[in-house]
Amino acid sequence: MEQPKYQGVGRRKSSTANVCIKAGVGDVLVNNKYKENYFQYNENYLNTIKEPLQKLDLDTKYDIIIYVSGGGLAGQADAVRLALSRALCKMKLENRPFLKSLGFLRSDSRIKERRKYGLKKARKAPQFSKR
C-alpha cells in the first residue's frame, strides 16, 4: 500500500511554491537540489523554511519535495513556509490552531504595484519643468 502524500501551495510576491510531504527521514529537496544548495546556505532562508516543522517537532519524520518558481529567494522561502504549513494542516487538523497562532497560515498580500500611464514607474513621475 502506498504511503499518503500531503500537498500545499503557497504564494508570496511573484513566487509560487508547491510542497509535497511524505513519510521519511527528513530530507528536503527544492527543485531537485538539497535545500542548502538551493538557498545558498543562507541561514535566514533555511530557518524560514524549517520553522513550521521545528515548532511541531517533525523535522526528522517526513521527506519534503518542493517546487518553487518566480521571484527571488526571499519570496520563495516565504512561499515555501506557507505551502508547508498548509500541507501540515491537511495532514493533521490539530496542527491548524497552533500554526495559525504563530502566523504561518497568514498570506502576505503585498505585491508590486502596477505601472500607471503618464508615469515612469508606479509612482515616479517625469521631471517637472516650469519653463
Side-chain angles (χ1 to χ4, degrees):
M1 188 172 145
E2 194 174 307
Q3 295 175 340
K5 295 179 184 176
Y6 303 95
Q7 294 184 325
V9 176
R11 292 180 187 86
R12 169 81 173 97
K13 290 186 170 182
S14 59
S15 302
T16 303
N18 292 304
V19 170
C20 180
I21 299 176
K22 59 184 180 180
V25 294
D27 290 337
V28 179
L29 291 176
V30 183
N31 291 353
N32 298 319
K33 294 181 184 177
Y34 285 107
K35 65 180 179 196
E36 292 84 9
N37 286 339
Y38 187 83
F39 286 105
Q40 303 170 357
Y41 297 91
N42 186 316
E43 287 298 317
N44 290 334
Y45 302 151
L46 295 172
N47 289 337
T48 300
I49 291 169
K50 291 188 284 186
E51 268 182 315
L53 291 169
Q54 286 178 335
K55 299 288 184 183
L56 295 169
D57 293 325
L58 300 173
D59 17 6
T60 57
K61 295 180 183 170
Y62 294 98
D63 287 343
I64 300 164
I65 300 166
I66 303 166
Y67 292 103
V68 289
S69 63
L73 292 179
Q76 287 182 353
D78 288 339
V80 168
R81 182 174 72 179
L82 178 60
L84 189 56
S85 300
R86 286 179 173 170
L88 289 169
C89 288
K90 285 182 184 175
M91 186 169 68
K92 198 172 181 185
L93 286 174
E94 293 83 46
N95 292 338
R96 186 171 174 79
F98 181 69
L99 291 172
K100 194 167 184 173
S101 68
L102 294 171
F104 293 159
L105 294 173
R106 180 173 289 131
S107 175
D108 193 342
S109 61
R110 294 176 295 171
I111 58 171
K112 187 172 179 177
E113 192 175 338
R114 78 171 203 79
R115 182 187 167 273
K116 282 82 171 184
Y117 58 85
L119 302 181
K120 292 184 180 285
K121 291 180 8 184
R123 298 183 183 209
K124 183 180 180 183
Q127 186 172 9
F128 176 72
S129 174
K130 210 172 214 180
R131 288 177 193 85

